[in-house]
Amino acid sequence: MNSCSAIATRLDDEMLLTRQAIIFPSNTPLLPMPMRTGSDVAIELGGRFLLRYLLRKRYWQFTGGSSQLQFVTPTPYSPSEAVTWLALPNPTLREFVLFLDPSQISVICGPRRVRLGGGLEYILPQGFPASARLVGWPVPVV
């Protein structure tokens, strides 16, 4: 039986492959992946957004953006499935999500399969500016 997360991930696979994106294997280090502009990734995603899942205690951590390495996904997951599909290091539920506009992010790598997870991830080596947030606050995920 497929979960909604499995279906959503498969649809993202199909969408990216239709756009002739290269989905890197999960064991691909960051450096061999090309650094791309957010505008290029925005076209590849067909206007979709990138999602940065958050712990409740980190609810407001990224209101000013971030200059640190970040991992994001185009795929919507429930709080419990995000932990599994994205192989998150802390098994605590991700109850909030930031919607990020890739066209506002200067450098993006990926997509790549999530190691030990199964989802897809993009890597933001330089983080993201506050202007990339579609909504100015994290949105609750239920």
Side-chain angles (χ1 to χ4, degrees), residues 8-30:
T9 302
R10 300 298 176 263
L11 288 172
D12 282 347
D13 280 344
E14 290 297 321
M15 182 258 314
L16 289 168
L17 293 173
T18 299
R19 295 171 182 278
Q20 292 159 5
I22 297 169
I23 300 174
F24 292 91
S26 63
N27 63 345
T28 306
L30 180 60

